[in-house]
Amino acid sequence: MEMSQRVGYQRVSTVDQNTDRQLDGVELDKVFTDKASGKDTQRPQLAACLEYVREGDTLVVHSMDRLARNLEDLLRLVRELTGQGVKVEFVKENLTFAGDDSAMNTLLLSMLGAVAAFERSMILERQREGIVLAKAAGKYKGRKAALTAGQANELRARLAAGESVTALARDFGISRQTVYNYAA
């Protein structure tokens, strides 16, 4: 039978950042390190780490923000890992999540999930407000029309003459949905 392992994952923002202090003094069998910013989705070592861990292992991470780019990402990762029987330990927060989660851990994870959803809706709201302000200032024009007025008229005429939507989409270099939008 295989021995369960304590596997570390660390992410440092830039090459000059020190990885030593992230899991300093923590006994680990193997460590994966990504050098990438939080918003960077390319984390090859995290992918390798997730591929490596097995049921019974413990994934040790310095802190929640080192594992995930945002709360949604964090929740997904913790759920996936604990679902595979891998414990997830966060050193800084002094939290361990296991598949047989205690009521407290389930509550914490649920609260994090609620915060993630709230954070996401706030971002979208600010984005919408920004677009409204930019439109009012004449800085936001939306997307450029796919066809000129002349092309749009030609498209409608050919559609009315019975040409297929697929053929028109191909001829004008637009999607079928765009053809339908112009037809409407």
Side-chain angles (χ1 to χ4, degrees):
M1 189 179 143
E2 280 184 50
M3 290 289 296
S4 61
Q5 294 192 348
R6 289 177 57 77
V7 180
Y9 172 74
Q10 47 191 6
R11 177 177 55 77
V12 288
S13 301
T14 51
V15 181
D16 62 12
Q17 251 193 355
N18 196 348
T19 59
D20 296 345
R21 66 174 208 276
Q22 271 192 28
L23 293 170
D24 204 17
V26 179
E27 211 165 297
L28 299 167
D29 298 298
K30 189 167 177 65
V31 178
F32 293 85
T33 304
D34 271 320
K35 287 185 168 41
S37 76
K39 64 182 187 297
D40 189 357
T41 55
Q42 296 302 307
R43 294 175 293 173
Q45 286 300 300
L46 177 59
C49 179
L50 297 176
E51 188 68 34
Y52 180 82
V53 290
R54 297 284 171 260
E55 186 177 346
D57 287 352
T58 302
L59 176 63
V60 184
V61 187
H62 174 67
S63 64
M64 291 180 171
D65 66 324
R66 295 290 95 189
L67 179 63
R69 296 187 313 275
N70 53 42
L71 278 165
E72 227 173 292
D73 194 29
L74 176 69
L75 287 168
R76 183 183 55 75
L77 286 167
V78 171
R79 279 204 192 100
E80 281 176 13
L81 288 161
T82 56
Q84 295 164 15
V86 176
K87 284 186 180 146
V88 184
E89 188 180 307
F90 296 104
V91 178
K92 191 174 138 196
E93 291 87 354
N94 193 18
L95 282 173
T96 302
F97 294 97
D100 59 339
D101 277 347
S102 68
M104 190 63 189
N105 278 0
T106 304
L107 174 68
L108 278 168
L109 214 50
S110 301
M111 284 170 60
L112 286 172
V115 171
F118 177 70
E119 178 185 51
R120 185 78 194 120
S121 69
M122 292 302 290
I123 289 167
L124 292 172
E125 189 178 332
R126 285 195 298 270
Q127 194 177 25
R128 281 192 297 272
E129 286 170 359
I131 289 170
V132 167
L133 291 171
K135 277 182 177 172
K139 289 188 174 94
Y140 188 90
K141 303 284 192 272
R143 200 162 150 197
K144 192 168 85 32
L147 304 176
T148 64
Q151 287 175 316
N153 290 336
E154 183 191 337
L155 175 103
R156 287 189 198 97
R158 287 172 61 182
L159 195 61
E163 282 194 52
S164 87
V165 171
T166 304
L168 288 169
R170 190 182 51 241
D171 290 355
F172 284 95
I174 56 177
S175 70
R176 291 176 53 226
Q177 183 57 53
T178 305
V179 172
Y180 288 117
N181 293 349
Y182 275 106

